[in-house]
Amino acid sequence: MWWWRTRPIWGALQSLNTYRPNYLPLPTDDEGANPEALDEILRRNRVKLIYLIPNFQNPTGRTLTLERRWSIAKILVQHEALLVEDDPYGRLRYAGDGMPPIKSLAPDNVIYLSSFSKVLSPGFRLGWVVAPEEICQWLVIAKQGADLHTSALSQVIAAEYLAGGYFEAHLPAILDLYRRRQAAILSALHYQLSEVATWTRPEGGMFVWVTLPDDMDTEEIYWKAIESKVAFVPGRFFHIDGSGRNTTRLNFSNTDEHKLVDAIQRLANVIQSA
Ligand SMILES: Cc1ncc(COP(=O)(O)O)c(C=O)c1O
């Protein structure tokens, strides 16, 4: 994988980096982002934008609890702060109860984003925004400046797909697939890596976040795993400061159960020998 030597940061960080922001990391735990820490950051700093992935977060798979959603909504209103709520994974829930978007709890303080990439086709390059009217107007101008126009063909196909009820019919099939794949990877992790690693157990989405002992470096492990034909994303690429070296994101969405079990066994061999 030659490319991440030249592209060491991904996704949201990569697009935000263009504007050379001063990042202030928000601590998170198994319940998602920490509201008290957010309050503290907003008290001490002038923050232009807050960014959160509330459901089955990329990379950890964690979901923000309902209680914290309410707390964060109140904090946003109190500080007159603006949150980007990035929610491409929310519909991929295959266990437990769904939760309201923070957008519904603090409508004037949230720009809500979602995408067809995880539930229909990433190649369509289609997503949507729900934002306060004034911000929407600015977004339209900024988007025209960035790419002139989203493909009309993709939009028409997606619109027909939704209107024809095909999306709601398709969703249970992918949920069933991901549920089975996640069960396979979690059970393989349990049998192969319980002694050296801990990991998240999300109720949906595509990711499991694995933490190894502090002195292990998942980037080094990556190069050895590749020789065994297993790939993953080392955790440090999701951190703004290069930390998280002992963590890794495993994606189970595109590999069948047998291959997943085999892959975790191979990965466990590499980790044990490291
Ligand atoms: C947090 C997050 N937001 C959005 C997306 C979807 O991006 P796009 O709609 O550009 O394909 C992804 C996909 O990896 C993601 O992980």
Side-chain angles (χ1 to χ4, degrees):
M1 289 265 184
W2 54 270
W3 43 267
W4 77 35
R5 294 194 189 279
T6 50
R7 281 180 72 218
I9 293 287
W10 284 25
L13 287 177
Q14 194 179 26
S15 41
L16 291 170
N17 279 352
T18 318
Y19 302 94
R20 300 197 182 176
N22 180 20
Y23 290 114
L24 298 168
L26 182 56
T28 61
D29 56 26
D30 279 343
E31 299 190 348
N34 181 323
E36 287 83 36
L38 175 63
D39 189 41
E40 189 63 23
I41 288 172
L42 292 174
R43 273 178 209 287
R44 289 174 184 271
N45 302 276
R46 200 180 138 255
V47 173
K48 286 190 180 167
L49 207 64
I50 305 156
Y51 176 83
L52 278 183
I53 307 165
N55 294 310
F56 317 124
Q57 190 219 26
N58 184 1
T60 64
R62 287 173 182 149
T63 290
L64 191 66
T65 59
L66 183 57
E67 204 183 337
R68 287 197 179 181
R69 286 172 197 242
W70 275 110
S71 306
I72 288 174
K74 279 188 201 140
I75 291 166
L76 293 174
V77 174
Q78 262 167 19
H79 291 273
E80 297 183 349
L82 189 61
L83 169 73
V84 172
E85 181 176 22
D86 191 9
D87 187 22
Y89 302 103
R91 293 300 305 268
L92 296 180
R93 173 175 282 281
Y94 33 85
D97 295 326
M99 269 176 271
I102 307 169
K103 173 76 181 161
S104 66
L105 311 178
D108 295 338
N109 299 74
V110 180
I111 299 173
Y112 178 90
L113 310 180
S114 192
S115 168
F116 281 111
S117 287
K118 310 298 169 185
V119 289
L120 177 55
S121 162
F124 273 14
R125 308 309 307 135
L126 281 184
W128 61 94
V129 179
V130 187
E133 179 67 32
E134 199 188 341
I135 294 179
C136 272
Q137 286 168 7
W138 281 110
L139 285 175
V140 169
I141 294 168
K143 187 171 181 325
Q144 282 171 351
D147 69 359
L148 297 181
H149 200 285
T150 297
S151 157
L153 181 61
S154 295
Q155 293 188 64
V156 171
I157 296 171
E160 290 292 316
Y161 194 79
L162 289 177
Y166 301 107
F167 172 68
E168 294 302 334
H170 169 66
L171 195 58
I174 41 175
L175 294 186
D176 189 46
L177 195 73
Y178 290 171
R179 184 187 298 113
R180 283 189 278 115
R181 289 180 177 179
Q182 194 210 47
I185 199 170
L186 289 178
S187 116
L189 284 167
H190 174 72
Y191 285 111
Q192 301 290 344
L193 281 167
S194 329
E195 282 173 20
V196 286
T198 56
W199 53 87
T200 54
R201 291 168 183 77
E203 292 184 328
M206 307 177 162
F207 310 115
V208 177
W209 181 246
V210 176
T211 304
L212 294 174
D214 287 346
D215 57 351
M216 295 203 95
D217 184 339
T218 52
E219 202 176 346
E220 274 172 27
I221 291 169
Y222 173 84
W223 294 109
K224 298 200 177 98
I226 280 293
E227 289 167 18
S228 302
K229 305 211 176 307
V230 180
F232 54 82
V233 185
R236 93 170 167 87
F237 296 108
F238 300 100
H239 292 74
I240 54 170
D241 56 2
S243 60
R245 284 195 167 270
N246 62 325
T247 58
T248 178
R249 187 195 78 177
L250 304 182
N251 180 332
F252 52 83
S253 64
N254 200 25
T255 309
D256 71 40
E257 288 99 303
H258 294 294
K259 280 196 187 143
L260 282 168
V261 170
D262 182 40
I264 296 300
Q265 190 165 12
R266 292 174 191 216
L267 182 60
N269 291 342
V270 174
I271 290 173
Q272 301 292 359
S273 58

